[in-house]
Amino acid sequence: SAVISQKPSRDICQRGTSLTIQCQVDSQVTMMFWYRQQPGQSLTLIATANQGSEATYESGFVIDKFPISRPNLTFSTLTVSNMSPEDSSIYLCSVQRTGDTEAFFGQGTRLTVV
Amino acid sequence: DQQVKQNSPSLSVQEGRISILNCDYTNSMFDYFLWYKKYPAEGPTFLISISSIKDKNEDGRFTVFLNKSAKHLSLHIVPSQPGDSAVYFCAALINFNKFYFGSGTKLNVKP
């Protein structure tokens, strides 16, 4: 398994501001992902964080709204920009090692936008 | 377009009995299927998986069954324990690098 540290664990933010979520893994991993879980919904993939290049975004998610950095194989950040109440969700960092079928998750960031 | 569906948002079971959680999918190209357990304020934790070429995988109290013709899988927990109370997510993996998740089933095991 992988130990994933995600912070902050929760935050309450004013609309129009931005929040950066950090994800630190205890070992090098090939794949890092960012998910969103809205209340009562499934986990929705926002993007795959690529080391040394731009993230790969899923349909419905754009870089201007969710800029992602991945400077090395153990660390990534997700920024939720210009927040609105609709961005209130749990945001989850996930990693997958080469050859593994399972993914591992951080503890999540519960974001409330007021 | 939700490719993985969990149609039961909640399930309540008596301690010691069997819990059966169900999941349906639409894409026959999925390589693996997984179950995750999630406690409040924690991230999902991997529980058990099954390859698309198998029909059963067992790990202790947990067994996953795959019915490819019906595009259906289920997780059996026997015997259920109060500590099993959590939200269970079904997930499917394609190309070994993209996951699709169901919406979760909240299991409550009553003492």
Side-chain angles (χ1 to χ4, degrees):
Chain A
S1 66
V3 178
I4 303 166
S5 174
Q6 186 177 335
K7 55 184 179 182
S9 58
R10 59 174 58 228
D11 209 340
I12 300 174
C13 299
Q14 297 289 324
R15 68 177 68 200
T17 62
S18 298
L19 175 71
T20 296
I21 303 167
Q22 298 181 1
C23 178
Q24 178 74 54
V25 191
D26 66 340
S27 57
Q28 293 185 346
V29 292
T30 310
M31 309 291 288
M32 293 185 78
F33 308 97
W34 287 97
Y35 287 86
R36 179 174 74 180
Q37 185 192 6
Q38 295 180 305
Q41 308 278 328
S42 63
L43 281 69
T44 301
L45 181 64
I46 297 171
T48 301
N50 301 309
Q51 194 263 328
S53 64
E54 194 171 285
T56 304
Y57 289 84
E58 296 298 305
S59 175
F61 298 96
V62 295
I63 187 171
D64 289 346
K65 177 66 176 177
F66 298 101
I68 288 170
S69 78
R70 188 168 176 198
N72 55 52
L73 293 175
T74 64
F75 185 78
S76 178
T77 67
L78 168 74
T79 298
V80 186
S81 302
N82 188 25
M83 288 183 285
S84 67
E86 292 72 34
D87 294 320
S88 298
S89 287
I90 297 173
Y91 292 85
L92 292 150
C93 169
S94 175
V95 304
Q96 183 188 17
R97 291 203 173 97
T98 302
D100 281 354
T101 53
E102 64 267 28
F104 300 97
F105 287 85
Q107 71 269 37
T109 297
R110 182 179 290 274
L111 171 62
T112 302
V113 183
V114 296
Chain B
D1 174 31
Q2 197 166 352
Q3 299 197 38
V4 177
K5 293 181 181 179
Q6 293 175 257
N7 293 315
S8 298
S10 64
L11 174 67
S12 188
V13 171
Q14 202 68 39
E15 179 179 6
R17 308 291 282 269
I18 184 171
S19 295
I20 300 176
L21 297 103
N22 294 303
C23 178
D24 297 298
Y25 62 94
T26 58
N27 191 339
S28 59
M29 300 302 292
F30 286 131
D31 303 300
Y32 265 82
F33 301 90
L34 307 92
W35 286 94
Y36 284 83
K37 181 167 73 172
K38 186 180 184 302
Y39 293 118
E42 294 183 12
T45 303
F46 170 70
L47 196 56
I48 191 171
S49 65
I50 186 168
S51 164
S52 60
I53 62 173
K54 301 284 180 75
D55 54 22
K56 178 182 175 182
N57 187 29
E58 189 172 355
D59 183 2
R61 297 186 296 113
F62 303 91
T63 303
V64 57
F65 295 93
L66 176 61
N67 182 334
K68 288 186 288 294
S69 62
K71 293 192 175 68
H72 177 85
L73 68 155
S74 60
L75 174 68
H76 292 211
I77 306 173
V78 182
S80 301
Q81 300 173 354
D84 296 329
S85 297
V87 176
Y88 289 79
F89 289 96
C90 168
L93 177 65
I94 192 166
N95 295 330
F96 291 93
N97 64 7
K98 185 162 185 177
F99 294 87
Y100 292 86
F101 287 85
S103 54
T105 297
K106 185 174 184 179
L107 174 65
N108 178 35
V109 180
K110 295 177 288 187

